[in-house]
Amino acid sequence: MKIKDLYLQNSLSKSKEKFEPISEGYIGMYVCGPTVYSDVHLGNVRTFTSFDVIYRTLLFLGYKVRYVRNITDVGHLLDDGEDRISRGARLDQLEPMEVVQKYTNSFHKMMDIFNTKKPSIEPRATQHILEQIEMVQQILDNGYGYVVDGSVYFDTLKFQEDKKIYGDLSGRKIEDLFSETRDDLKKQDQKRHPSDFAIWMKADPEHLMKWNSPWSEGFPGWHLECSVMSTKYLGETFDIHGGGNDLKFPHHENEIAQNVGACNCKPCNYWLHTNMLLMNGKKMSKSDGNTISPDELFTGDSPHVSKGYSPMAVKFFMLQSHYSSTLDLTDDALAASEKGYKRLMESLKTLEGLNHKSSGNDLDNEVNSSLDEFIAHMCDDFNTPRAIASLFEVVTKINSFKEGHLDLSQISAETFNRLKEDYPKYIDDVLGLKNENDGGNNDALNGIMELVLDLRQEARANKDWGTADKIRDGLAKSKIVVKDGKDGSNWQFS
RNA sequence: GGUCGCGUGGCCGAGCGGUUAGGCAGAGGUCUGCAAAACCUUGUACACCAGUUCGAAUCUGGUCGCGACCUCCA
């Protein structure tokens, strides 16, 4: 299809801009992935789900997209200076790489559960140590780094003096960045300025993960991997860089400094930041315990929810807010979204059963404009809540056709075919929502249900209400809801 | 403390200068053996106070409240 105009809210310029790819028809997108030292939590899921919908939208629009999302498996330090992965390894008595593998696997599994597409490339920091060493050298060669006792620091003052861009993304002024914390374990005292940051760190003897470098046996700074891997796989300047907005500072700010410091060019044209998932009005965060794991949410095994919510219901809940807004997770909101999600999915099944009759076109405009608006809203900075609102206009139409409140002869064959073809695509391909309440893939169950509903229909025809209700109530106990319509009955899981 | 953002009807959540967001819940109705589902109708909403404007939830200033970042976090 023809690529439509796309507008993005660029965090760097803080304004909505028309998207212009570097190469016509192609997009390079880099998203900061997880640090795999424990199970993913819902906040991660929201971010990666948001970027999944962005990725899907770009693909739908016809772009060839190279989507790179890294796995951070080294260099991400805790307050006390211990590497997150090493800490995980020590606690679980595993090799660091076992920790990495274990949580990478569970991360992938969760991403599958949320029906997200896999990135084109998923590079790991430890697989790019050589490239990181090279970039440290480039930064040194360009005069933006200095070595202290085997560690290499980025010289933010010098960088700012030359380039005058440090702080542009995060809105920070370098002179305000005086860190009052002691932080001696992070070797603050070696820095010339508090805003300087390590790009290579000399490892303590007991450190588990370390590599040889021209400066010391050590490991790369956390921010470096993204600069290096985005450059390697997408080029020195690519189209879109994304991540959670808690990464804006210092991570993304430093990434920009490193890229510019190394190659004198900006890493990307558009920065996209997703907002935080809240619970009880506070940021959901692993480190302060205000959190619910995806599994707890699915099973309902948490004081924060009254019952379990399915992955797709949770995903739908997330998509009902804009990626750049905070989203407050509450039991009531989840319950409301769950119903809306089911109604949307049911419309898909209903549409399948619809057959076009003779042609009129009274309703063509309404149907087509709802479908058009879906895409228009997605192209307006991926406005999923508005796009979904357009979808619900279509839901009402579909249900009305089925119930006979509207007549299918009021739309042309052309519009009807578009509806049949595009509407499911918008839900499946673009939003990545799948129907998990559908017994449709289970032939045996479908056969049984057909028989059961048939028997009930006979009972009803004989006005044998006792039998009819017995069947209905019995099925209800198995979480199957029977719905009587004009043209017979159908069913769905409750 | 510094920087940024937010405050929308019962709940969630879009919109951001004039026109119905949407979902859920509630009320009334249609349909139905009953129920459910579905459809139709239905909501004094935009923290507060000033100001700009023919017109403000939407712009400006102030007040109050909340949150995020500044330190590991998507």
Side-chain angles (χ1 to χ4, degrees), chain A residues 12 14 94 96 113 155 157 191 228 247 279 335 352 424 478 487:
Chain A
L12 187 58
K14 289 155 188 71
L94 298 169
I113 287 172
D155 189 339
L157 286 185
K191 296 183 188 176
V228 164
L247 294 183
M279 189 163 66
E352 258 178 56
S478 303
D487 309 315

Side-chain angles (χ1 to χ4, degrees), chain A residues 24 39 65 72 83 148 169 193 224 274 363 374 376 389 430 463:
Chain A
E24 184 69 36
D39 285 317
V65 186
T72 295
D83 186 282
V148 181
L169 178 69
H193 188 270
L224 194 63
T274 58
L363 293 172
F374 174 85
V430 181
K463 297 198 191 305

Side-chain angles (χ1 to χ4, degrees), chain A residues 410-429:
Chain A
Q410 290 172 282
I411 60 173
S412 64
E414 193 187 355
T415 299
F416 182 76
N417 290 336
R418 181 185 173 198
L419 182 61
K420 278 238 177 189
E421 198 173 315
D422 288 355
Y423 180 72
K425 266 194 208 164
Y426 295 169
I427 294 170
D428 296 346
D429 297 354

